[in-house]
Amino acid sequence: LFDIFKIYCNNSSFTIKDCEISSNSSTQAGGGIYINNEDTFATLIENTTISKNESTGDTGGGIYIEKGSVYITGTNISENKSAGHGGGILNGGILTLDTTTLTLNSAAKNGGAINTTDSGTLYVKDGLSIPAGDGGKNNMYFAAGKSALRYWNIQAESEYLPISSNSLDGEL
């Protein structure tokens, strides 16, 4: 089985803009995108659809960020799934989400929408939408330890931003 359109980034800066990354699978991590960058490299994902990708391994159905700095804006991340953690995104790096929607993502373990590991930080900017979905599967999870959520200029409603967290900063 080939992951023909899957993207693997190892220690390089890159931009994904106006793309669709869908219907890919991985038996390991990162069904759609796998990012493993040192801090000196940055990744930008802009106006892109990341959907229906799957990790049958343990992490990151749509996107797996092992390490590195990633900025996602104007992007729809939907219907991705993981047999383990992080159906939409597994974040072990520094992730900023801006004007992004995560819907109908699921994980067999923690973080249907986003799972931030103990080495990860998640920054949330304007316009993030994470509807809870069926059975709370499209949720956010933060591992015990050093993981953190930092946010600004977002509105919280009862059906949005379902969070199981270790650290929160900012104001809602």
Side-chain angles (χ1 to χ4, degrees):
L1 178 66
F2 293 89
D3 294 325
I4 296 172
F5 295 106
K6 180 179 170 183
I7 297 171
Y8 176 78
C9 178
N10 188 26
N11 290 330
S12 60
S13 295
F14 74 101
T15 297
I16 300 170
K17 184 174 181 180
D18 301 321
C19 292
E20 180 175 341
I21 300 166
S22 64
S23 303
N24 298 289
S25 66
S26 173
T27 57
Q28 296 179 4
I33 302 171
Y34 185 117
I35 299 168
N36 181 20
N37 280 338
E38 297 298 327
D39 291 337
T40 56
F41 299 102
T43 301
L44 171 64
I45 301 172
E46 181 178 1
N47 299 327
T48 293
T49 297
I50 301 166
S51 66
K52 299 179 183 173
N53 299 290
E54 180 177 10
S55 169
T56 58
D58 195 41
T59 55
I63 304 170
Y64 176 58
I65 305 166
E66 184 171 350
K67 59 184 173 179
S69 178
V70 179
Y71 189 92
I72 300 175
T73 184
T75 294
N76 181 28
I77 301 169
S78 64
E79 299 180 71
N80 298 288
K81 59 184 173 179
S82 172
H85 305 279
I89 303 170
L90 189 290
N91 174 34
I94 301 168
L95 172 62
T96 301
L97 295 174
D98 183 5
T99 320
T100 294
T101 301
L102 288 98
T103 54
L104 301 174
N105 297 288
S106 63
K109 295 181 182 173
N110 295 316
I114 304 169
N115 182 320
T116 297
T117 68
D118 60 357
S119 63
T121 298
L122 173 61
Y123 292 93
V124 177
K125 290 187 73 174
D126 299 331
L128 177 67
S129 176
I130 305 177
D134 295 330
K137 293 182 180 177
N138 194 52
N139 64 350
M140 293 177 19
Y141 175 84
F142 294 85
K146 298 178 185 175
S147 66
L149 168 64
R150 302 194 186 340
Y151 54 90
W152 56 97
N153 298 330
I154 59 175
Q155 293 184 349
E157 300 176 21
S158 60
E159 70 269 23
Y160 292 96
L161 297 176
I163 298 171
S164 171
S165 81
N166 186 46
S167 175
L168 298 176
D169 291 341
E171 294 182 13
L172 287 179

